[in-house]
Amino acid sequence: MSDLEKNEIFKNEMVAPFITEHANIDPSTFIGEYGGYMDKLAVVAKAESGEVLYQSSIAPPLIDKENFVEHVSNIASYLDIKVYIAMHAFLDKLFHKKFKVIGLDSEKPPTPDVDFICPNRKGYWKYLAEIMVEVVKLQISGIFLLDFRYPWRNYCFCTECIKDFRTREDLPVYFHYGLLEEKSETYDKWLEWRSEILYDALKSLTDRMNSLGTEVPVILEIIVDPISQMLEGVFKYFGQDLRKLSNLANGFILNIYPYSMLSKDDINEEVFEPILAINKPIYMLYTKKPSISDFEILKNIAKIVDAKKIFLDISQIIS
């Protein structure tokens, strides 16, 4: 992407940078060049690896980036730029071996479930909560909770989940996704049970935050993709009951088409009605390298949902 195109993107008032652990940039240089055009940015504080990019007393640091978030936050504060922290929730390579999700079915998610944590792990909830307690001290305006979901509709069948769900229903010891689908009433209960797990997990996190007396917004990532039936499918595929979660979350960040190519033919107000009806602040995230046509589609979506910002992964734009 040429410098002209980069300038066109980062000088657009709807755009904000999303800075990940993969961004090969000097924050001082980047913010020095584009900071005059931005009022918000997001930076990853807990990576997919499980390592953190700030000084933590409980989580292991990402080597050579132990003070990355503090560095970004300090520079941004001089320019009155609001900083949002992004945390990978149930994607954690460090704890995957201990708490990994299990899918007992041939259907695979669009991206591998490698490193996904089973959301039904209360000890891990407490660990996430303490990380959130740490990051709220870093001069931030909000927390983006990424991958706060199941990896796909046929998860999870770990020992813990099988045991918990069997106490509610008359099922054989080793039931599987196909068996659930055959029993429509039981399948509906299973989907509801998954959504309850996510709700309880989020309540555990927000209760811990509220105990501090802080008012830092918690914003949940929601995947919008035709493979998972857009917003209509997030309950079935990812276990997210948007209306129920909205009682705890302060807003949503829509991850636009992470699995598919953007198409303007799929985009209309009806597609976004499930999220618009909830009436919570909406942000957008796009993690691919946008083409000119992609950028136009993203701006159109932003108008439909009245997005506060379109966050773009700068590692896809600046090499």
Side-chain angles (χ1 to χ4, degrees):
M1 186 166 290
S2 69
D3 288 338
L4 178 62
E5 289 171 321
K6 284 187 289 188
N7 288 338
E8 183 181 353
I9 287 175
F10 290 120
K11 292 181 180 180
N12 188 294
E13 64 180 5
M14 280 303 302
V15 170
F18 185 78
I19 306 172
T20 75
E21 67 273 26
H22 306 298
N24 187 25
I25 62 161
D26 174 9
S28 302
T29 301
F30 177 77
I31 296 176
E33 183 173 358
Y34 296 106
Y37 302 96
M38 66 179 74
D39 58 3
K40 295 180 178 66
L41 64 80
V43 58
V44 169
K46 180 177 179 289
E48 295 178 5
S49 64
E51 298 160 312
V52 296
L53 286 75
Y54 68 94
Q55 286 290 328
S56 173
S57 63
I58 58 171
L62 184 62
I63 302 301
D64 296 330
K65 292 199 174 181
E66 298 93 334
N67 297 289
F68 189 76
V69 173
E70 289 92 336
H71 185 39
V72 171
S73 181
N74 287 337
I75 299 169
S77 67
Y78 295 134
L79 299 174
D80 293 326
I81 299 171
K82 292 182 178 179
V83 175
Y84 292 78
I85 289 298
M87 288 177 48
H88 288 279
F90 295 121
L91 196 57
D92 189 310
K93 187 174 183 178
L94 289 175
F95 284 97
H96 174 254
K97 186 174 182 180
K98 185 173 184 179
F99 298 137
K100 66 181 179 181
V101 292
I102 302 293
L104 298 182
D105 192 85
S106 59
E107 181 176 311
K108 301 297 181 184
T111 55
D113 64 6
V114 176
D115 303 334
F116 242 98
I117 299 289
C118 171
N120 190 21
R121 298 291 181 163
K122 295 178 176 58
Y124 185 75
W125 299 355
K126 294 179 181 179
Y127 174 70
L128 278 182
E130 294 312 307
I131 291 179
M132 292 173 70
V133 167
E134 289 186 332
V135 300
V136 297
K137 302 173 184 177
L138 300 175
Q139 303 180 63
I140 64 171
S141 296
I143 298 174
F144 293 153
L145 272 183
L146 308 180
D147 47 74
F148 195 86
R149 59 184 175 85
Y150 288 84
W152 203 238
R153 60 181 178 177
N154 54 326
Y155 290 82
C156 174
F157 288 91
C158 70
T159 303
E160 190 81 10
C161 286
I162 289 176
K163 180 182 70 177
D164 284 1
F165 191 65
R166 283 189 63 242
T167 62
R168 296 165 56 125
E169 305 297 327
D170 181 21
L171 292 169
V173 175
Y174 295 107
F175 67 91
H176 53 85
Y177 182 73
L179 179 61
L180 288 176
E181 281 194 307
E182 291 172 7
K183 299 183 176 183
S184 59
E185 184 177 340
T186 304
Y187 181 58
D188 289 343
K189 290 179 180 178
W190 187 71
L191 292 176
E192 182 63 31
W193 173 73
R194 292 202 318 165
S195 75
E196 290 171 5
I197 295 295
L198 290 182
Y199 178 86
D200 290 345
L202 184 58
K203 188 174 188 305
S204 175
L205 301 185
T206 55
D207 282 353
R208 181 69 178 99
M209 295 281 286
N210 292 337
S211 72
L212 303 175
T214 60
E215 295 185 0
V216 176
V218 176
I219 300 153
L220 288 187
E221 177 202 27
I222 304 296
I223 287 178
V224 180
D225 195 287
I227 288 180
S228 50
Q229 298 177 2
M230 306 297 273
L231 287 166
E232 291 290 348
V234 297
F235 177 74
K236 177 173 69 174
Y237 283 89
F238 304 121
Q240 295 170 317
D241 184 329
L242 297 182
R243 191 163 292 279
K244 186 185 296 184
L245 292 171
S246 71
N247 293 322
L248 300 172
N250 301 102
F252 298 101
I253 180 165
L254 307 182
N255 188 344
I256 305 296
Y257 280 53
Y259 311 134
S260 308
M261 298 292 290
L262 271 173
S263 170
K264 64 180 181 180
D265 296 334
D266 299 332
I267 306 303
N268 55 64
E269 189 168 333
E270 184 179 354
V271 166
F272 296 97
E273 183 57 35
I275 202 85
L276 291 172
I278 294 173
N279 195 29
K280 287 278 186 175
I282 295 174
Y283 304 80
M284 289 167 53
L285 173 64
Y286 192 65
T287 59
K288 302 175 187 176
K289 184 175 182 177
S291 65
I292 293 174
S293 62
D294 291 338
F295 196 37
E296 291 304 313
I297 294 171
L298 290 170
K299 288 189 290 184
N300 183 39
I301 296 173
K303 289 179 181 178
I304 292 173
V305 301
D306 191 23
K308 303 296 183 184
K309 283 293 175 183
I310 305 170
F311 286 90
L312 296 180
D313 184 348
I314 67 171
S315 66
Q316 298 295 320
I317 299 170
I318 300 176
S319 56

